[in-house]
Amino acid sequence: QVSKGLNACIRKSDAAARIGGDEFNIILADIVRPEDVTLIATKIIQSFKKVFMVGQYEFHMTASIGISIYPDDSEEMDTLYRYADIAMYLVKTKKSIQSNH
């Protein structure tokens, strides 16, 4: 259900892949304006606000998204992945701090 939801938020020219556990990488091709990335990220976050049903069980999920942009952040694929991963963990840390207050 998660991968179907992600694929519904991206264009046919983009790619989404599960890299393990609850982490996915999304590669957005031919982005003209960095703001377009924000629109897609917002669309993904909104898609997680629905209840996911697995059998008779309801699951409520959230999304934490880290973004890096080629070539602004790096021209190296590994570095882009690392920066996006760091950004995602910063978002998770911020959510954790906010939920404890």
Side-chain angles (χ1 to χ4, degrees):
Q1 288 184 25
V2 171
S3 63
K4 285 181 183 178
L6 288 175
N7 282 313
C9 293
I10 62 176
R11 305 161 301 168
K12 293 202 184 298
S13 61
D14 302 328
R18 181 173 172 256
I19 59 169
D22 62 351
E23 291 189 20
F24 290 79
N25 279 344
I26 299 173
I27 298 174
L28 304 175
D30 302 321
I31 294 296
V32 177
R33 303 172 313 146
E35 300 83 34
D36 295 339
V37 176
T38 304
L39 294 173
I40 294 170
T42 300
K43 193 174 179 181
I44 291 168
I45 290 168
Q46 292 300 319
S47 76
F48 276 87
K49 291 191 176 183
K50 70 173 188 149
V51 175
F52 290 82
M53 296 297 297
V54 178
Q56 61 188 13
Y57 299 99
E58 289 184 2
F59 289 88
H60 301 268
M61 294 187 262
T62 60
S64 298
I65 298 176
I67 298 170
S68 61
I69 298 176
Y70 171 90
D72 297 350
D73 296 323
S74 179
E75 293 186 8
E76 300 293 324
M77 187 65 73
D78 289 342
T79 304
L80 289 168
Y81 284 135
R82 189 175 67 228
Y83 287 171
D85 201 45
I86 291 167
M88 180 197 58
Y89 279 103
L90 289 171
V91 169
K92 284 185 174 188
T93 301
K94 184 177 178 182
K95 282 183 181 180
S96 176
I97 291 169
Q98 288 174 342
S99 69
N100 289 329
H101 284 66

